[in-house]
Structure formats: C-alpha cells, structure tokens
Amino acid sequence: MIGSLQLVARIGGCGVLFDAERVDSVVEVGAVVPAPGAAASVIGLAAMRSRVATVLDVRTLLGVARCPDEKRREGGRAVATIVDGHLYAIAVDSLEDVSTFQLGAAPAGLDTTGEWDFVTGIGEGQHETLLALDVDRLVARASALA
Amino acid sequence: MDDLLQEFIAETRETLEALSGEIVGWEADPSDRARLDSIFRFVHTIKGSCGFLDLPRLARLSHAAEDALAAVRGGDRVPDSALVSAILAIIDRIGDLVEAIDAGESFDDGGEALLIAALDAVPAAATPAAAVPSAPTLPDPAALAANPQRSGHKRSVRLSVDLLDRMMSGVSDMVLARNQLARHLRLIEDPRLEAMLERLSLSVDELRDTVTRTRMQRVEALFSALPRLARDSAASLGKSVTLVIEGGDVELDREMIELLRDPLVHIVRNAVDHGLEDRADRILAGKPGTGELRVVARQAGNLIIIDIVDDGRGVDTDRLVAKILRDQPSRAAELRGLDEEARLRLIFEAGLSSRDEVTALSGRGVGMDVVKANVEQAGGRISLVNRPGQGLTVSLEVPLTLAILNAVLVDAAGTRFAVPRQSVDEIVAVDGGAVRVDRVGTGSVVLLRGQRLPMVELGDLLDHAPAEPPRYLAIVSLREGRFALALDGVRDTQELVVKPAAPAVMRAGIYAGQMLPDDGLPILLLDCSGIAGKAGLTFEQAQVQVSATVAFEPVRALLFLDVDGARRLIVSDAVDRIEKVAAGAVRALAGGTWLTIDGRSVPVWAGQGVEAGTVRTVLRLQADGLELAYPVEEAIEIVPLPDELSPAADPHGTIAGLAVIAGEPIELVDPLALFAALPVAAERPLCLLYGSEGAWMEAFLKPTIEQAGYRVIRAVSPGERPAIALAIDEEADSAPTPSLRLSRSRGQPLYRYDRGALIAALKEHRA
C-alpha cells in the first residue's frame, strides 16, 4: 500500500494527522473576533488576508478539555481548510511535520461509525499512535456541538 | 432592450456551445432522456426569450422544435433519425440567426418553412437525413470581420466567476495592505511620501469600486424586463395587469441574477397566463378588472427572497390531482393520501400542465418543473402559498452568496457587530432623556415618544449574562413590528460586502453573514428578524382583522349589457362563470338555440331575440343540475343589489323587478324563471349510429334524429352513455345499447328512408 502525505499536528496534547491534500495552508491566526451564540467549538472569526475564517477548537471532540476563552482569543497556530466553500482554521497546539504515512485501521474500541466518525485510521508516529482525521466530518461534528 | 438582446445573444451562444455535446450524444442515442430534456429546455428558453425580444423567426423555429420534442417527451412520438436531424437543423439555424442578429445583419430565411415541415414528416416515411435541408453555412467569416463594428454597439465578454472572485479578493488584500502601509508611513511624517500614498490610495479605492461592480448588480437588472413581459403577455391574452415592483435596489451577485432570470420570467408568465382571470371573470368574482402582480425582493437573514404575488384564481388542486390521475391512474392511492400542501407541490412534476390547451405564451406548463430545477441549482428553494380564488404567491429563496450592504457598526455584548442600515429606524442615546427603559418581569420595555417597544439585549439573549444598562438603543423595524436593540456603543456606517458565514456560526440564529471592513477585523452582520424570533418577541398584527361584525353580506349582482342593448342585472351567485365562446358555437337547432361547449350542448336563453351566429359572450347559469347559457354583449361590473326592488308588472315573466343603480332603473333577471321557461331543460340524450352504415346514417338521418331531441355520436367515448343505438337490421344484435333496427327494404317495420316512422320511434323511446 502506498502511503499518503500527512500533516502531523498536536491538538490538546494528542498527535493527529491531517491529509495534506485537504490542508489549504498552515496559518498563524491573529486576533479572533468572538461569535456569541455559535457552536461551542467556534472560537470566533479571524481574517486571513482578505478572507474571513471561522476558527474552530476541536479539543472537546478529541476528549480533551477546551482552552479557556481568553487564551483562545489570542490566536495561534491553525490548519486552514475549506469545507463546502467556507474557510475554517482548526486551532492546533503545534505543527510538527509533513511526511508519508501508511494508515492502519482505527482501533476497535473507537466508535468510528458514531461519535468518532471523523477518525479515518491511525498512523504510527515516534513512540505514539497518531489519529488520522477526516476534515469534512471533523468540521461537521464541530459545527453540531452544542 | 439592447442590453437584454446582448445578454440573450451571449447566453444563447454559450448554451449552444455547452449543448453541442448533448446534441451529438442525443443523435447517437435518441432515447437518452436526460439529453432530450436539456435540449428541450434550451428551445423552450429560446422560445420564451424571443417572445419579449420580438424575434418572430427564432420564436417560430423554437416553438416548432419544442412542439416536436414535447411529443417525444410525452411518449407520443418516437425519436427517429429523421426527427433528430430535423431538430439539429433547427438548432443550427437558431445559432446562425443569433450570430446574424449579433452582427446586425439580415439573414436569408430561405428554407425555414422546410426546416419546420421536416419536423412533421411522418416517422414511417423515414425521411432520409439528407432530405432535410441543412442549414446554409455561416456567412464567410472574412466578410464578417470586414464588417465595420456598428457604432454604439455594446461589447461584452463572459468571464468565469472564479476569476472574478480571485480578482475581488486580490483587491481586498490590496486594500488591507494599503491600510497597514498607511499607518506606518504616517509615523515617518514625510509629506512627499504621504502625497504619493494618497494617490495610490485613490486609485486603489477606484479599482475596488470597479471590481465590485463587475461582480454585483442591482436586482433592478433582473426586474427591468418584467414590466414589458407582463404587459405583452397580458395583451396577447386580452387581459390587463398592473405590475408592482419593490426592493429593486438590493444589490446581488451577478451570478445569482443570471440564475434567477429564467425562473422569474417563467413565473411571471405563468401568473399572467394561468393565474390571472379574464377581465370578465375577475369582475364576476368581485375583483378589480385589472389584475395585480407584485414582485418584491427583500433580504431576510442569509437569504434573498423574491415574492411573486398575483391576485388571480390560485391553483385548483382538485383539477391538478384529477389531471395526474388521468395520465397515471396507477398513482391513485398515493394521490389520495396527499395533504393539501403536497397536492399543491404536484405542480412541480415534470410535464404537467394545469391547462389543457397549449398557448404560445407559457406553453405546456413545462415551466414549473424547470423553474424548480433552476432555482435549486442556484442552491435556493421555491415555495408556494395558494389562496384559492384569491391568488398565488410564489417565493424564491436564494442564498445570499454575496451582497453589498449599508451597515451600521455597533458594540453590543462586548463585541463589534453590524446591523443593516435598512432595518434601523433610528438610534437613540438612553441618557438623552428621550427614552425610558423599564424592567418588566425578566425583560425590559422601552418607552419612546409614547410608544412601548420590547427591548432585546444580545448578552442576555445569548449567555443569560446580567447586562449593564444600555447606553444606546437601535430602534429596529421589521415587517412584523418594531423593537429596541440594546447597544453599548455606536461607531459608524460603512458599505460592506456581506458573505455567508459558516454553518457553525449561523446556527446561533442571529447572524445574516460576515463582513470584513478595512481594518481587517471580521464583523458579524446581525439578522434582526432572527434576533426577534430568538427573543420570542411576538408583535401585534399591525393589520387590523377585517371586522366580523357585518352580519349580512349585501347581495351582489352582475350588471351586464344584454344583446338587445339594455342594461340588466342578475344575482351574481346564479352565474357560474362568464364565458367567451367561439364563432359558430351557438346555433339554432331543433327548434331551440344551443351552445356547444366542452363537447356538450347547453341550451341558450333566446328570450331577448338573439341571433345565434352573433353570440360571443355568455353567462353560464347553473341551478339544481340544470345549465343555461344567457347570451350577453358584455359584463360590466358587480354591484351591490339595492334592498328596494319594484316588483315587475308581469309575475310570470323572466324579470323579477326593477332596481335603481346609480339613478337609473335596471331590470333584474330572475334566474329561476329562466330555467322554468327552458324548452328543453335537460341534456339531450345520445343516439349512437352503430355499425358499417354509420356514415350513411350520419349523412341522411342526423337532422331527423336531432329534431327528435337527440345528440348524434358515431363512437362512444369514455364517460358517455348512449340512450339508444341505431343500426341496420343485421348488425343490431351486436350494438352495446338497446337499438332501433333499420331495415333495408321498403315495407319492413322501420324502413330506413321512412322519416316519419323514425321520428315516431325515437320519440316513443324517449318517453
């Protein structure tokens, strides 16, 4: 099996993989404008040059506690992607690498038909298991979060 | 009109290009339904556009092709190679004509009749494709090029939306970069640098305006063709219509405007053709003689809504269902289970027409399914509100992909938001003393110039956070009512491009979209009706309900001009409808006067000495299962019947009395007396001419049989039940109904040339 190019990132301490094909760019998000009332995972809006991105915090989805709002608003590193014509910036702790991975099936314990449907498989990192994320489903899940 | 023509040419050219693949595919496989549909839509659209652009030759060609294709779609015709070639030849010719129009040249119309005739060639004859005259080749390109450009000829090109988008975001980037640069350069305080920056700044602004204009257009552009269209459509049907257009200044994405053009044209045409009644019927229904069509564009949330409201007859869902049932009897069970809304939505089914005859105008109801497909292609929705007898509202909802809005930038709940300028009546400072904010229960009420308005605080609405007393109030005006939006601060007004926000943000239910002003910090645009909805505000209906205290509706009567030139009245409830009839439909027959309509005979009231051949308009009266046609010159208007009636001199006449209308005594016709005076009130029984001698009988015996009070038929169509059959002796046994036997030889019981005996036998049977 031929491996695929993946972007290795860390979200709330978890190592995750983004399909490089779906990553629009890697950005440094500046000031974030809050969007009160929006889905819980929405930190707010940020301008990326002349485009407006919706900044998402997906930590809760990965089972990690959210950052406090004040800290989230400061911005930081994010993975930009376009889903259904909308630009999203998924906040990450750090970006580590881009390399080729051979993805294996997700562990049996993970409910990949339900709550964890955004996990497409796993990759073997350095001394850890990396979760490969499906951007479309991840954004859909995050948007539905109350 | 020139603009419209240019757009038509560009559009047709482009569709032709896109269609060429489909055409080739269809030629290879004529049974391909999807390709057939797209070719059909093409010719249908051309036909539609030609109508109001006044291009009769194109209209003729496309109408003919449409007819043929419709027959194929309806399964009445098999697409053979001759038909395919004929259609292709017509499409080629359409292309040539369009090029000729664009070049401003005349184009020889030789062979167009042949092209059309080729469509009707009997499939069995298998006309070889070569026999179809191929479209003459285009004028020599060299000659075209040599042709000098007409002066005043507006040239245009078509660009991909993607390219425009890139251009727009490029310019926006430039504006942001300029602002940053400007901030830094000001620190240097070099007047020469500042002057240079000023120049750069001006041209960047100008460029941005130009680029924005390439993408945006006022909805007016979409509406500009409608008045003419509505007028012409109505005129060709002998109707009159007033068109009211509102909200034309909303600016929209050009792409959306183009996508909406066809559906809008279809809907307006349908409304005029199917919705609005004839003048006479409108008068009878107590409506103004001139129909009203309102086209209203407005923005609500992240949608642009275009309502097309007519005050016509609405949709008769019973007829719609009956029609589908007739074509597809297998769906009976499904159709029975539908609720009213689902029944109404049947109108969107392919190939359905609520009208049985085809008009040059909206054709065969192909409109609605195509309209729905087009609107959905634009990511929109189409919905209907049917008010039977009162009219139909068609609403097109399309997503707001891009729009420019004049917005007020405000602070609320610790964040900067934008509010559409259009929905803000005024902004008042709370400490100015003009308003008072009162806590009432869990909410607040604002007292402004004696009027109490509910107040909404965003912070409270979203997080239930206790809010500081507001410093400003925006008085927001919605269609449903007004409310006050609490604000912490007011900044300025800006013209900004609105783009849709992500679903994760829209789910808050209070945003209409997002904007990016020049300072580079995004702003969310508030959706005021969404806020009112979320806050649970209910407004008292501004419209006062029609007071229900009127106990007795005055009796209404139709004032009409009778055939003898007198004006008379008839109670309008007695009149089923006012009908225009074809010349020759009313005839003096069998001692009475009869109107032949819908395949039946209806007795005509001839009391006012009408001449059968001159009747053009009748009042159809109905009572207790009986029908009567009352010939009139024209219907004038509906008037309330005065309470005071002077009784008529003759108690047995057909005049019930005299009413005074506008100072003039007018006779009131008594409908019951009309029915009582009918010579033959009932429908005439049918007499079937049966067997091999049917043609002979029709030729020789028909007048005799009709005189005996029967209607003559040669074959039984569904739903008909002949009372008697007439057959030659040896064939009589196989007739479906009791039959009279005609004998071939003189001296037998009912000899076929014995007129007197035949009448006697028929009359005896009737009795």
Side-chain angles (χ1 to χ4, degrees), chain B residues 27 138 205 220 242 301 304 402 554:
Chain B
E27 192 169 26
L138 267 171
D205 284 342
E220 256 170 10
T242 331
I304 295 283
L402 199 66

PDB file of all heavy atoms in Angstrom, chain B residues 27 138 205 220 242 301 304 402 554:
ATOM      1  N   GLU B  27     -27.965  12.403 -30.710  1.00  0.00           N
ATOM      2  CA  GLU B  27     -28.019  11.839 -32.057  1.00  0.00           C
ATOM      3  C   GLU B  27     -27.624  10.370 -31.990  1.00  0.00           C
ATOM      4  O   GLU B  27     -28.225   9.519 -32.653  1.00  0.00           O
ATOM      5  CB  GLU B  27     -27.068  12.616 -32.966  1.00  0.00           C
ATOM      6  CG  GLU B  27     -27.278  12.295 -34.431  1.00  0.00           C
ATOM      7  CD  GLU B  27     -26.516  13.266 -35.301  1.00  0.00           C
ATOM      8  OE1 GLU B  27     -25.499  13.808 -34.820  1.00  0.00           O
ATOM      9  OE2 GLU B  27     -26.934  13.469 -36.451  1.00  0.00           O
ATOM     10  N   LEU B 138     -22.545  29.433 -42.514  1.00  0.00           N
ATOM     11  CA  LEU B 138     -22.430  30.778 -41.969  1.00  0.00           C
ATOM     12  C   LEU B 138     -21.917  31.734 -43.035  1.00  0.00           C
ATOM     13  O   LEU B 138     -21.209  31.321 -43.932  1.00  0.00           O
ATOM     14  CB  LEU B 138     -21.428  30.768 -40.820  1.00  0.00           C
ATOM     15  CG  LEU B 138     -21.989  30.573 -39.441  1.00  0.00           C
ATOM     16  CD1 LEU B 138     -20.849  30.379 -38.467  1.00  0.00           C
ATOM     17  CD2 LEU B 138     -22.792  31.791 -39.052  1.00  0.00           C
ATOM     18  N   ASP B 205      -8.889  52.633  -4.278  1.00  0.00           N
ATOM     19  CA  ASP B 205     -10.326  52.720  -3.994  1.00  0.00           C
ATOM     20  C   ASP B 205     -11.154  52.620  -5.266  1.00  0.00           C
ATOM     21  O   ASP B 205     -12.183  51.949  -5.318  1.00  0.00           O
ATOM     22  CB  ASP B 205     -10.647  54.038  -3.277  1.00  0.00           C
ATOM     23  CG  ASP B 205     -10.221  53.983  -1.817  1.00  0.00           C
ATOM     24  OD1 ASP B 205     -10.015  52.851  -1.321  1.00  0.00           O
ATOM     25  OD2 ASP B 205     -10.071  55.043  -1.197  1.00  0.00           O
ATOM     26  N   GLU B 220     -32.647  45.316  -9.754  1.00  0.00           N
ATOM     27  CA  GLU B 220     -33.357  46.030 -10.820  1.00  0.00           C
ATOM     28  C   GLU B 220     -33.072  45.434 -12.187  1.00  0.00           C
ATOM     29  O   GLU B 220     -33.956  45.324 -13.030  1.00  0.00           O
ATOM     30  CB  GLU B 220     -32.890  47.476 -10.843  1.00  0.00           C
ATOM     31  CG  GLU B 220     -33.862  48.436 -10.247  1.00  0.00           C
ATOM     32  CD  GLU B 220     -33.218  49.797 -10.093  1.00  0.00           C
ATOM     33  OE1 GLU B 220     -32.101  50.000 -10.619  1.00  0.00           O
ATOM     34  OE2 GLU B 220     -33.834  50.632  -9.457  1.00  0.00           O
ATOM     35  N   THR B 242     -51.466  45.099 -13.739  1.00  0.00           N
ATOM     36  CA  THR B 242     -50.573  46.123 -13.209  1.00  0.00           C
ATOM     37  C   THR B 242     -49.432  45.399 -12.524  1.00  0.00           C
ATOM     38  O   THR B 242     -49.661  44.497 -11.731  1.00  0.00           O
ATOM     39  CB  THR B 242     -51.255  46.953 -12.106  1.00  0.00           C
ATOM     40  OG1 THR B 242     -52.644  46.977 -12.358  1.00  0.00           O
ATOM     41  CG2 THR B 242     -50.693  48.331 -12.047  1.00  0.00           C
ATOM     42  N   GLY B 301     -32.283  37.417   6.801  1.00  0.00           N
ATOM     43  CA  GLY B 301     -31.218  36.533   7.240  1.00  0.00           C
ATOM     44  C   GLY B 301     -30.202  36.381   6.130  1.00  0.00           C
ATOM     45  O   GLY B 301     -29.830  37.354   5.488  1.00  0.00           O
ATOM     46  N   ILE B 304     -31.995  35.842   0.111  1.00  0.00           N
ATOM     47  CA  ILE B 304     -32.692  36.856  -0.654  1.00  0.00           C
ATOM     48  C   ILE B 304     -34.018  36.213  -1.044  1.00  0.00           C
ATOM     49  O   ILE B 304     -34.043  35.093  -1.553  1.00  0.00           O
ATOM     50  CB  ILE B 304     -31.928  37.234  -1.936  1.00  0.00           C
ATOM     51  CG1 ILE B 304     -30.605  37.894  -1.594  1.00  0.00           C
ATOM     52  CG2 ILE B 304     -32.771  38.121  -2.819  1.00  0.00           C
ATOM     53  CD1 ILE B 304     -30.717  39.316  -1.148  1.00  0.00           C
ATOM     54  N   LEU B 402     -23.355  36.782  -1.832  1.00  0.00           N
ATOM     55  CA  LEU B 402     -22.525  37.969  -1.850  1.00  0.00           C
ATOM     56  C   LEU B 402     -23.476  39.135  -1.986  1.00  0.00           C
ATOM     57  O   LEU B 402     -24.386  39.108  -2.761  1.00  0.00           O
ATOM     58  CB  LEU B 402     -21.641  37.889  -3.092  1.00  0.00           C
ATOM     59  CG  LEU B 402     -20.402  38.723  -3.159  1.00  0.00           C
ATOM     60  CD1 LEU B 402     -19.421  38.248  -2.118  1.00  0.00           C
ATOM     61  CD2 LEU B 402     -19.773  38.555  -4.521  1.00  0.00           C
ATOM     62  N   PRO B 554     -74.166  42.145   1.698  1.00  0.00           N
ATOM     63  CA  PRO B 554     -75.170  42.582   0.732  1.00  0.00           C
ATOM     64  C   PRO B 554     -75.165  41.618  -0.455  1.00  0.00           C
ATOM     65  O   PRO B 554     -74.120  41.077  -0.812  1.00  0.00           O
ATOM     66  CB  PRO B 554     -74.677  43.966   0.320  1.00  0.00           C
ATOM     67  CG  PRO B 554     -73.232  43.988   0.681  1.00  0.00           C
ATOM     68  CD  PRO B 554     -73.056  43.079   1.845  1.00  0.00           C
TER      69      PRO B 554
END
